[in-house]
Amino acid sequence: MDRVDRISDILYGVASGEGLIQYAPLGRRVGVRPDHLGQFLDRTSTRAADRNEPLWSALVVSKESGQPSSGFYLLAKRLRTEYRDLDTQSLWKQELQRCYDAARSA
């Protein structure tokens, strides 16, 4: 299992509990420094979008802000055309709900 698979599994578990996870704890669980998680989260979400799954990286938040990094919003707007004109809070809330709904229905 590669890191992208592991991250997907962890984030699915987070979604099942309708929770969030901070960058540092996620990084520790997959053996990646939090400041290097971006490339793995990008790959995780890109693969999920290709499979018509939620962007699981919506569940990963900063300890300081309690929200995803700016990279998440840029990626979400690139991967999902329906998000291009949304403000960041609306986008995030919609994608969080997609994550939670997908975990509930599985």
Side-chain angles (χ1 to χ4, degrees):
M1 177 179 288
D2 71 4
R3 282 192 174 117
V4 172
D5 291 331
R6 180 74 179 124
I7 289 170
S8 295
D9 286 348
I10 291 167
L11 295 180
Y12 180 84
V14 170
S16 294
E18 296 194 9
L20 300 170
I21 189 169
Q22 294 175 358
Y23 289 96
L26 178 61
R28 280 193 297 275
R29 290 181 67 181
V30 297
V32 175
R33 287 182 15 199
D35 57 333
H36 290 139
L37 272 174
Q39 66 180 333
F40 296 104
L41 291 172
D42 184 288
R43 288 175 38 210
T44 300
S45 286
T46 299
R47 186 175 68 187
D50 289 346
R51 297 176 176 173
N52 201 31
E53 295 175 357
L55 306 180
W56 301 110
S57 60
L59 302 166
V60 186
V61 298
S62 163
K63 180 180 178 180
E64 291 78 27
S65 71
Q67 298 182 13
S69 73
S70 59
F72 164 74
Y73 299 105
L74 294 171
L75 179 67
K77 287 182 178 204
R78 190 182 86 226
L79 295 174
R80 300 221 192 275
T81 56
E82 66 268 28
Y83 289 160
R84 290 197 179 134
D85 296 325
L86 288 182
D87 63 274
T88 57
Q89 284 301 304
S90 297
L91 183 160
W92 185 42
K93 287 182 184 197
Q94 283 188 35
E95 199 59 34
L96 278 178
Q97 195 58 55
R98 284 180 79 150
C99 291
Y100 299 153
D101 290 346
R104 247 193 321 272
S105 67

